[in-house]
Amino acid sequence: MADHAKRVLTLGEASALNLLRPHEKLLLAVSGGPDSVALMLLCARWSERAAHEIAVAVVDHGLRPAARAEAEQVGKWAKALGFRHYLLRWEGEKPVTRIQERAREARYALLAACAREMGGAAIVTAHHADDQAETILFRLTRGSGISGLAGMAAASRCADAALLRPLLDMRKSALVALCEQADHPFFTDPSNSDEAYARARMRKLAPLLAAQGLDAEALLRLGRRAARADAALDACAAAAREAARIDSDAGLARFDPSKLRDLPLEILLRILGDEIERLAPRARLRLDRLERAALLLSRALQSGAPRRLTLAGLLLEFGRGAVSLGPAPPRRAGRRDDCGDA
């Protein structure tokens, strides 16, 4: 690589990496594309690099003949930059449907396991502003709620590991330019333009949508506004939840129905969703099922009629002066949940 690959970070680049500062151990998810190679270069130049244990992980999904060789090459690049490298393989028979979705799930499971092996490392991905705009558009076409339209969070969780996305304010073109200025090679994944995948088809529509005003900047603006609204609703729901709480423990929550009765449906929905996430963290509850449960509970609270329903393996019950949520009893054969299991 050219000497200028070691240049000092710009103010914006250094500010982006501030997200990483609280985490002593960092696992960079590097595919070999320009975005993740740029992430690797930025971390190599980071003034605080010496204060952190940084490793690079690449996942070989085994879906393309060239994937293994590319993964090994990423390892050589990582070594040249002074990073330890993990080559993670998605073993076993591969799916024939929902390939990208299942590959993503496998990738994050492998990264989370590797982060644990490092002793509690935070996973760092190279998602950027163009990815964020694409995600918002993708969710918009699927009727997502406010939380979904807020896009990807800069900091979230992946299993028991922190998941960090420091480049969300940087455009892809800037990351490509960074690699080119460093004279550093990168790979191009052919699946990114394969119209067998929904996101590739969405990218093809981008120029048409941009001509109508729905370009990346408009989508990012929508995401920022949705994120503000989402944070405000979360704050209102948290305050309402604490005001209504009678008691709770690791397996049960009980609320005062008089404090829930007049809440807006969105706030009631969020209280219910937060408690389900606390009591059944492995559940994958669809928004439409959560909306149905919140609506049924709201109607019961308004009428005063007792109500029992199950969802996500939990029993939601209104009666005897409380709204309670706890483990559901075993289901009888042939019986379905009122709102469906997650």
Side-chain angles (χ1 to χ4, degrees), residues 62-106:
L63 297 175
R64 294 185 295 111
R68 177 61 182 271
E70 290 176 0
E72 291 174 348
Q73 181 60 60
V74 170
K76 294 176 182 177
W77 292 339
K79 183 178 179 180
L81 292 169
F83 296 131
R84 183 158 43 120
H85 171 253
Y86 295 94
L87 200 166
L88 311 177
R89 297 181 181 87
W90 184 20
E91 304 287 1
E93 188 175 351
K94 302 302 185 291
V96 294
T97 60
R98 296 166 50 206
I99 296 173
Q100 284 199 322
E101 177 185 346
R102 292 171 178 174
R104 179 184 182 279
E105 292 171 355

Side-chain angles (χ1 to χ4, degrees), residues 42-66:
L42 289 171
C43 287
R45 301 166 181 166
W46 190 24
S47 62
E48 298 190 26
R49 170 181 175 173
H52 299 264
E53 179 184 340
I54 305 177
V56 167
V58 58
V59 177
D60 174 9
H61 295 92
L63 297 175
R64 294 185 295 111

Side-chain angles (χ1 to χ4, degrees), residues 142-332:
R142 280 152 178 75
S144 178
I146 292 294
S147 296
L149 294 180
M152 296 177 283
S156 58
R157 303 293 299 178
C158 175
D160 52 356
L163 178 60
L164 310 177
R165 301 180 177 96
L167 308 184
L168 285 179
D169 288 333
M170 299 181 68
R171 298 300 299 264
K172 183 180 181 71
S173 57
L175 299 176
V176 172
L178 192 154
C179 294
E180 292 174 343
Q181 290 163 8
D183 195 26
H184 197 295
F186 52 80
F187 297 116
T188 300
D189 187 345
S191 68
N192 288 335
S193 57
D194 186 345
E195 292 186 30
Y197 302 117
R199 283 184 180 266
R201 295 194 296 272
M202 198 78 70
R203 293 184 192 111
K204 189 174 182 179
L205 289 174
L208 177 62
L209 296 172
Q212 301 303 313
L214 194 60
D215 58 7
E217 288 302 325
L219 288 163
L220 293 170
R221 188 164 56 248
L222 170 62
R224 290 191 294 269
R225 290 169 175 169
R228 289 202 306 268
D230 190 46
L233 289 166
D234 271 347
C236 291
R241 183 169 64 252
E242 291 310 306
R245 190 186 303 276
I246 297 175
D247 56 59
S248 64
D249 57 32
L252 179 69
R254 295 174 68 245
F255 297 96
D256 180 348
S258 69
K259 300 290 181 63
L260 299 178
R261 183 175 301 119
D262 296 324
L263 292 177
L265 185 60
E266 178 67 22
I267 301 300
L268 186 62
L269 182 151
R270 286 171 183 254
I271 292 173
L272 186 57
D274 287 344
E275 288 301 319
I276 290 172
E277 184 175 354
R278 182 179 72 84
L279 296 172
R282 294 183 180 278
R284 298 182 62 187
L285 187 62
R286 294 206 316 255
L287 178 58
D288 59 342
R289 290 177 174 173
L290 180 59
E291 287 172 332
R292 174 171 167 74
L295 181 60
L296 291 173
L297 176 59
S298 179
R299 289 172 175 171
L301 290 167
Q302 293 295 325
S303 68
R307 183 79 205 217
R308 287 164 57 96
L309 55 95
T310 57
L311 71 165
L314 299 171
L315 174 65
L316 176 62
E317 186 172 14
F318 166 49
R320 296 189 295 277
V323 172
S324 63
L325 187 66
R331 289 182 290 171
R332 295 187 298 274

Side-chain angles (χ1 to χ4, degrees), residues 101-124:
E101 177 185 346
R102 292 171 178 174
R104 179 184 182 279
E105 292 171 355
R107 177 167 64 254
Y108 279 109
L110 289 166
L111 289 169
C114 188
R116 284 193 297 272
E117 181 183 330
M118 282 184 65
I123 300 166
V124 186

